[in-house]
Amino acid sequence: MLRSQQLRRVNYQGDGLRLGMDWTREDLKKPQVLVESVYGSSHPGSFHLDAVGQSVQKGVTSAGGKAAQYFVTDICDGIAQSHDGMNFSLLSREMICNMVEIHAMASPYDGLVLLSSCDKAVPAHLMAMARLDLPAIHVPGGANISGPNFISSDILWSLGDRWVKGEVSEQKFLDVAEDTCPSCGACQFMGTASTMQAMSEALGLALPGTAMLPVILNDLHRLAQTAGTRILALIKEGLTPRHILTREAFENAMMVHAAIGGSSNATLHIPAIAHEAGIDIDAFDFDRLQRDIPVMANVKTAGKYPTEYFWYAGGIPYIMELLRDRLHLDCLTVTGKTVGENLDWLNEIGYFQKCRQYLEQRQTDWQDVIPGWTRPVYEGGDIAVLTGNLAPEGAVVKARAVTPEMMSHVGPAVPCDSEEEALVMVLERKLQVGDVLIIRNEGPKGSGMPEMFHTTEALMQVPEYARGCAIITDGRYSGATRGPAIGHVSPEARDGGPIALVEAGDLIDIDIPGRRLNIVGIHGHRESPEVIDRVLTERRTRLVLPPLGERGALGIYRRLATSAIKGATIG
């Protein structure tokens, strides 16, 4: 018997309350589906999802179910940048997940369809699906279309700094700003939003071809309606997310992540989703699986084309086709078919040829967008996880975003106890070429693990810094971050990690090919590992950790959050 029908037999008041809305007596006997989105006037990634949710509802109705729309909107990392609002970003993932759980469990729903587009909402929904283990489908909210000359919102950070300095007018700044987000949908680069849409599809939790689907195409609403129809079949079949989320499915997703050059934030989100499914995944799994998979997508920010064009070139299905010999093709998906069967079906219906017609009219060769194995954008894997006496539990770097001359580097530390302090160092040109900027107390327990995009972009705007300085932090970075930016240092400073013990002038050895991150000198002088261990032990006796001191939601997160290497969860 359906969960909804079981609970009707004990919750008599519920029938009356539903009949007080748009329910009929017949609806009470149908499978009941929670259709939850992050719709709201919060940012372009969520603004359109009420309409997409209505398409899901049509599909549920046509298949004989009854749908109810719920909303818990998300926040935008772009809007939260450069102020304390960013401290709440990663925390919002946990809270959105919790609210989906509350909604689903407080009412007698038999299945759920979740709609989201962006950085924290997509992983939150995938976590909730794994936690609840009710029949479920995720509907990615698609991609923003590209602006003139492929400009996107990430350009506004460098332009905004010039406007504040009086180098360009506010009118010029706003003229560009108007063109960066021409529609709803996720940002047009392979940041965290696009990456996590890709992970949803690669995991098998979204229908094939839905990740980064351009919102201007009616396919978004057609596939949303298909998801609404399909959820009724999943309920009947009893196919739930934990049947889909096997270790092999996560390995598929991490290999796809390598091929698209995905955001380093996925090393937080994939372990968090796996945790909800009862599977132990950490950032080291990314490194292990990605070492010999090149980046095969020529997509912004590191590449040329927007994600809209990536979808036209074949998108995630084509990336999975390129990886076919490596993927676990027998993994189940929400279609009820395996990964291999889905790819066979897409080839049979001419899916790739249909998509690529959009590029023909734009006079773009699809093989320039996804050049594949023969002309990879970057060799040698996307994510590297470093360990050493500065990061005993690990640290994460997006290797493909690092210039060759900075893959190995030794430089003096310039420690800062907050991002605000570090940003001043960069903007006021107080760094010397070769310096290693340390930003600490920004981990999950430090300040909620904000991203350091403004600081990294400011550094990259100074050519000599971009070529000769590095940033190391226990915080995280934007999916659009470029340069030698090493994050997720664990244990974090607030947990007493070695990053809290670094002093000015200590020599930091960054060895990305060797996967090492070490303190190799004290106050400018190289020392043996034994001497360094002795100095760090002595410094620890003087270490005073800052108090947590936060009330409310952020205080809860800072007290309970796990290590960044394990996903920074509170569940």
Side-chain angles (χ1 to χ4, degrees), residues 287-454:
D287 195 325
R288 173 178 59 84
L289 289 163
Q290 295 192 357
R291 289 202 180 205
D292 63 345
I293 297 178
V295 177
M296 298 189 243
N298 186 11
V299 181
K300 290 169 59 71
T301 56
K304 175 180 179 180
Y305 295 100
T307 53
E308 175 191 6
Y309 279 48
F310 174 74
W311 189 89
Y312 296 146
I316 295 305
Y318 185 60
I319 290 292
M320 297 183 81
E321 184 70 29
L322 288 170
L323 293 170
R324 189 174 190 128
D325 291 343
R326 298 183 178 223
L327 296 179
H328 304 285
L329 297 177
D330 57 348
C331 287
L332 273 177
T333 72
V334 291
T335 65
K337 301 175 182 177
T338 65
V339 168
E341 289 169 338
N342 285 340
L343 292 175
D344 290 342
W345 173 72
L346 291 172
N347 278 294
E348 288 170 11
I349 65 172
Y351 173 82
F352 300 116
Q353 291 79 2
K354 176 188 173 184
C355 291
R356 290 164 186 162
Q357 289 175 359
Y358 290 102
L359 288 181
E360 290 176 10
Q361 67 190 46
R362 289 165 172 78
Q363 298 181 325
T364 300
D365 186 343
W366 67 268
Q367 291 178 305
D368 288 339
V369 184
I370 305 180
W373 291 94
T374 56
R375 293 183 294 125
V377 177
Y378 177 79
E379 294 277 9
D382 182 38
I383 294 294
V385 179
L386 317 181
T387 57
N389 63 14
L390 183 54
E393 293 179 5
V396 172
V397 63
K398 193 168 186 173
R400 73 164 180 122
V402 181
T403 56
E405 60 266 28
M406 290 300 292
M407 293 293 281
S408 298
H409 176 75
V410 177
V414 179
C416 296
D417 290 328
S418 69
E419 185 193 11
E420 292 81 3
E421 181 185 346
L423 183 59
V424 170
M425 296 291 295
V426 176
L427 294 177
E428 295 185 0
R429 308 288 178 91
K430 293 182 177 180
L431 297 178
Q432 302 297 314
V433 175
D435 283 349
V436 177
L437 185 61
I438 305 286
I439 310 176
R440 57 196 176 198
N441 301 315
E442 300 288 8
K445 292 183 178 179
S447 60
M449 206 177 187
E451 63 181 37
M452 309 284 146
F453 185 60
H454 198 172

Side-chain angles (χ1 to χ4, degrees), residues 2 8 11 68 78 105 116 123 136 170 228 271 280-281 293 303 310 340 344 453 520 537 570:
L2 293 174
R8 278 189 68 213
N11 174 226
M105 297 311 295
S116 49
E170 182 178 14
D280 186 19
I281 297 285
I293 297 178
F310 174 74
D344 290 342
F453 185 60
V520 296
T537 299
I570 63 173

Side-chain angles (χ1 to χ4, degrees), residues 96-158:
I96 293 170
C97 174
N98 290 343
M99 284 307 303
V100 173
E101 178 189 11
I102 290 168
H103 289 161
M105 297 311 295
S107 300
Y109 291 109
D110 302 302
L112 55 154
V113 180
L114 303 177
L115 301 90
S116 49
S117 307
C118 292
D119 298 36
K120 306 308 173 296
V122 175
H125 280 174
L126 303 187
M127 288 166 65
M129 291 167 71
R131 180 185 297 177
L132 290 165
D133 203 32
L134 292 170
I137 298 180
H138 179 244
V139 177
N144 201 313
I145 65 170
S146 55
N149 299 313
F150 298 159
I151 64 170
S152 54
S153 58
D154 56 313
I155 195 176
L156 295 177
W157 292 104
S158 57

Side-chain angles (χ1 to χ4, degrees), residues 403-538:
T403 56
E405 60 266 28
M406 290 300 292
M407 293 293 281
S408 298
H409 176 75
V410 177
V414 179
C416 296
D417 290 328
S418 69
E419 185 193 11
E420 292 81 3
E421 181 185 346
L423 183 59
V424 170
M425 296 291 295
V426 176
L427 294 177
E428 295 185 0
R429 308 288 178 91
K430 293 182 177 180
L431 297 178
Q432 302 297 314
V433 175
D435 283 349
V436 177
L437 185 61
I438 305 286
I439 310 176
R440 57 196 176 198
N441 301 315
E442 300 288 8
K445 292 183 178 179
S447 60
M449 206 177 187
E451 63 181 37
M452 309 284 146
F453 185 60
H454 198 172
T455 302
T456 55
E457 274 302 293
L459 187 102
M460 293 301 291
Q461 297 307 312
V462 183
E464 58 268 32
Y465 287 176
R467 292 191 299 268
C469 293
I471 299 179
I472 298 174
T473 181
D474 52 7
R476 61 188 177 87
Y477 296 110
S478 164
T481 292
R482 302 172 291 154
I486 299 168
H488 306 195
V489 170
S490 300
E492 62 176 287
R494 184 61 186 74
D495 266 346
I499 191 172
L501 308 175
V502 175
E503 293 185 2
D506 289 352
L507 297 178
I508 309 299
D509 184 3
I510 300 169
D511 180 6
I512 295 174
R515 302 302 198 262
R516 304 298 293 168
L517 183 63
N518 283 298
I519 305 167
V520 296
I522 302 297
H523 299 160
H525 301 285
R526 276 192 175 266
E527 300 286 0
S528 69
E530 293 76 18
V531 169
I532 290 168
D533 286 345
R534 188 164 60 248
V535 170
L536 295 181
T537 299
E538 188 278 327

